[in-house]
Amino acid sequence: MPKIKIGMVQMGSIESKEANITKAIEYGEKATDEGAELIVYNELFSTQYFPAIEDVKFFDLAEKVDGPTVRTFAEFSKKRDVGVVLTIFEEDDKVRGIYYDTAVIVNKGKILGKYRKTHLPQLPGYFEKFYFKPGKTYPVFDMGEYTLGTIVCYDRHFQEGVRILSIKGADIVTVPTTTNFYPETWELELRAHAAFNTVFVVGVNRTKEYFMGREIRYFGKSLVANPTGEIVDEMGEEEGFRIVEVDLDKIKERRRKAPFLKDRKPENYTELSSIYIEEV
């Protein structure tokens, strides 16, 4: 397997979607100038994090997967010969009035597919069930020299998604995120996903922004964790980008010493899909 240079882009956004996209493309261009072969953006970067409140006016921000935002990044991906993971506020292309928080995977100009966020918080400052319908599946994508899977933000609190992606062959799992609480848990969970599943995990978080007249301090700290759970590199809280080179041969090396996926006992785990926590 080769070495891959990953560009993490973490940013805060303003009200203008056009300005956010322009800034994201500029960061992407700088990252590819420094050799990035895969660029991962934080969750819903083309808009402010509107689920911080409930307001029907924000449904106007949604667009389809073949809409202008994805087309813009597909053109950038083709021009720069790079893979891109971006998330959008998706309007279903078949059923009107149904929306998702969707990661779109693009490689060298080709839209490979999408992942719809499956776990949605409904917490103070994170009113996502008001806006989004949950997805159901965990696809993986052939990026040529490696296989990529993704989850989104709140999904990282649940172990099953990354495990499914790993079993399906993902070498790299990306986690576009918007979070402003418990940075120690942020690092712990991403490192644990990487260690338990012996994959590379790339978590990219939003930075502070002003929304509806107040500052919200999303703390950045985007990072890459390797198959042993160690942090390869980590950003600070400021907006910007970082290039991190990963050696995919480390996956094979780790799995020879720690064959966790081989030693799984799925026949013993059937209770997972049948046990529910009773409502209080």
Side-chain angles (χ1 to χ4, degrees):
M1 284 187 178
K3 294 181 178 179
I4 300 295
K5 288 186 176 180
I6 301 171
M8 302 185 293
V9 178
Q10 61 179 36
M11 51 184 272
S13 297
I14 62 175
E15 188 173 353
S16 169
K17 182 186 284 190
E18 182 179 77
N20 296 327
I21 291 172
T22 297
K23 180 168 65 172
I25 291 290
E26 289 174 351
Y27 278 132
E29 290 173 341
K30 291 177 181 178
T32 55
D33 285 343
E34 295 187 18
E37 298 161 271
L38 171 68
I39 298 177
V40 185
Y41 292 94
N42 58 264
E43 180 188 23
L44 298 172
F45 65 90
S46 67
T47 68
Q48 295 169 307
Y49 183 68
F50 56 88
I53 63 173
E54 295 181 345
D55 194 323
V56 295
K57 71 180 181 181
F58 292 118
F59 285 105
D60 291 338
L61 295 172
E63 56 185 272
K64 297 177 181 179
V65 168
D66 63 354
T69 297
V70 175
R71 288 202 303 269
T72 295
F73 282 89
E75 292 170 4
F76 162 74
S77 170
K78 182 177 181 179
K79 180 179 178 181
R80 293 285 178 147
D81 196 35
V82 67
V84 178
V85 179
L86 66 149
T87 57
I88 64 168
F89 183 14
E90 181 202 358
E91 180 180 6
D92 194 289
D93 60 357
K94 296 179 181 178
V95 183
R96 296 181 186 275
I98 301 296
Y99 305 89
Y100 301 91
D101 185 347
T102 300
V104 181
I105 313 303
V106 183
N107 193 35
K108 300 179 180 180
K110 183 178 180 181
I111 299 171
L112 299 185
K114 61 190 177 185
Y115 163 76
R116 289 167 167 168
K117 187 174 182 177
T118 56
H119 301 93
L120 304 176
Q122 189 69 13
L123 304 166
Y126 300 88
F127 298 105
E128 295 194 5
K129 286 186 172 72
F130 180 79
Y131 296 98
F132 309 129
K133 178 182 173 68
K136 293 182 178 181
T137 60
Y138 295 90
V140 296
F141 304 94
D142 182 358
M143 304 294 283
E145 295 182 308
Y146 61 96
T147 301
L148 182 143
T150 191
I151 58 173
V152 176
C153 197
Y154 194 63
D155 289 328
R156 74 185 186 280
H157 300 306
F158 305 86
Q159 61 184 321
E160 292 83 2
V162 180
R163 175 51 56 90
I164 291 170
L165 293 172
S166 302
I167 294 169
K168 285 185 171 183
D171 302 305
I172 298 172
V173 175
T174 64
V175 192
T177 298
T178 295
T179 190
N180 65 355
F181 58 89
Y182 303 128
E184 65 280 4
T185 305
W186 160 253
E187 293 184 1
L188 176 65
E189 290 176 332
L190 297 181
R191 293 177 65 188
H193 282 306
F196 290 153
N197 297 291
T198 53
V199 294
F200 285 94
V201 172
V202 183
V204 182
N205 187 27
R206 187 181 295 256
T207 59
K208 70 178 180 180
E209 65 185 26
Y210 292 86
F211 177 66
M212 304 298 287
R214 66 187 181 97
E215 180 185 277
I216 305 179
R217 188 179 174 184
Y218 304 109
F219 57 74
K221 292 188 176 294
S222 300
L223 66 86
V224 175
N226 70 16
T228 65
E230 299 170 305
I231 294 177
V232 181
D233 204 350
E234 181 177 21
M235 299 178 70
E237 296 191 12
E238 298 302 314
E239 180 175 294
F241 73 95
R242 179 73 58 84
I243 307 297
V244 183
E245 184 175 74
V246 301
D247 183 352
L248 297 182
D249 282 334
K250 297 296 183 182
I251 298 173
K252 185 187 298 184
E253 291 175 12
R254 180 58 178 166
R255 288 179 181 175
R256 287 174 176 175
K257 297 178 181 179
F260 303 145
L261 297 185
K262 178 177 70 71
D263 291 339
R264 291 173 59 250
K265 297 289 185 181
E267 67 275 12
N268 295 349
Y269 310 149
T270 56
E271 287 180 297
L272 277 175
S273 59
S274 61
I275 296 176
Y276 292 88
I277 298 175
E278 293 184 4
E279 294 185 5
V280 177

